[in-house]
Amino acid sequence: MKYYILKAKDGYDWIWSEKIELRSYSMDYDGMPISNDWKKFEVDYVDKGRRDFDICVATSPIFIFSKHAADFLKDILAKYGEFLPLKSPNDNYIAYHCTNLIQNALNLENSKIDWLDEEEGWINGVLKYSFNKNEINDNLVFRIPGKYSYETFFSEAFKNLIENKNFKAFVFSEVFQSNI
């Protein structure tokens, strides 16, 4: 099984909030639900790129989907996280926050870790991911504890669903392949 992180295709605009830094806001929750504290934040376009996109990753680990993409993904992603309302241009976007935190998904022995202090367990980042397939099972979307990464990981099955729908601006970057 292959696993990916989600990026956005170059040339597309992105959405941002001037009132709150959504990326930092979501990191404070470390994969826990934020819907109880969520306000319908106002977001708007930032650049002059193409505005017909279905994904914005600028606020990851909160992803911003077009309503077109969210309508398709709601039933698929609901068990892995939460959809959050936004005040967006033409009311066309909705946020998604993955709360499916798998504690032992990362195989520390086979991953390449950039340690700040290995004895203390402080890391700078993960240079090469290796996952414990038996921990991930059939999860389409998951995160690992924030001390290792704030990335959200997507399975090959999820990637295939997206690519079959021809959504705009989705780019998948492979981070791990398991032959198990």
Side-chain angles (χ1 to χ4, degrees):
M1 175 71 75
K2 294 180 181 179
Y3 297 96
Y4 303 83
I5 56 172
L6 188 53
K7 298 182 176 185
K9 189 173 184 176
D10 288 339
Y12 285 87
D13 200 350
W14 45 291
I15 287 185
W16 199 259
S17 173
E18 288 186 11
K19 301 202 183 324
I20 185 168
E21 211 284 282
L22 292 171
R23 177 185 298 255
S24 295
Y25 179 79
S26 65
M27 287 180 186
D28 289 344
Y29 288 83
D30 197 24
M32 300 304 295
I34 61 178
S35 55
N36 289 339
D37 297 328
W38 185 259
K39 296 175 179 68
K40 194 172 180 179
F41 296 109
E42 185 172 347
V43 295
D44 204 351
Y45 298 113
V46 175
D47 294 326
K48 297 190 189 281
R50 291 181 57 186
R51 294 183 172 181
D52 60 337
F53 55 87
D54 291 305
I55 184 68
C56 174
V57 300
T59 56
S60 169
I62 292 180
F63 295 91
I64 298 177
F65 292 117
S66 69
K67 289 225 172 144
H68 169 67
D71 287 344
F72 172 76
L73 293 170
K74 271 195 175 180
D75 291 337
I76 297 165
L77 291 179
K79 75 181 207 176
Y80 302 110
E82 55 193 350
F83 284 90
L84 306 162
L86 294 169
K87 292 179 192 170
S88 63
N90 301 318
D91 196 33
N92 191 38
Y93 295 96
I94 188 166
Y96 177 76
H97 176 239
C98 177
T99 58
N100 186 27
L101 190 69
I102 302 177
Q103 292 296 326
N104 297 314
L106 188 65
N107 180 324
L108 293 173
E109 289 180 17
N110 295 328
S111 293
K112 187 173 181 182
I113 310 287
D114 179 12
W115 293 99
L116 290 174
D117 186 329
E118 188 170 0
E119 195 173 289
E120 292 290 328
W122 299 342
I123 70 159
N124 191 39
V126 179
L127 305 173
K128 179 183 164 217
Y129 290 94
S130 178
F131 295 118
N132 293 313
K133 177 67 176 126
N134 58 332
E135 296 290 333
I136 298 170
N137 297 314
D138 294 327
N139 286 282
L140 294 179
V141 181
F142 67 94
R143 291 180 54 198
I144 59 178
K147 72 177 184 177
Y148 298 115
S149 173
Y150 287 106
E151 298 286 1
T152 303
F153 300 95
F154 297 87
S155 71
E156 187 170 20
F158 180 85
K159 176 183 177 279
N160 292 338
L161 286 170
I162 295 298
E163 289 177 343
N164 288 335
K165 292 300 280 185
N166 294 316
F167 288 122
K168 295 178 183 172
F170 279 81
V171 174
F172 291 89
S173 178
E174 186 177 329
V175 294
F176 179 71
Q177 180 173 351
S178 169
N179 297 322
I180 298 172

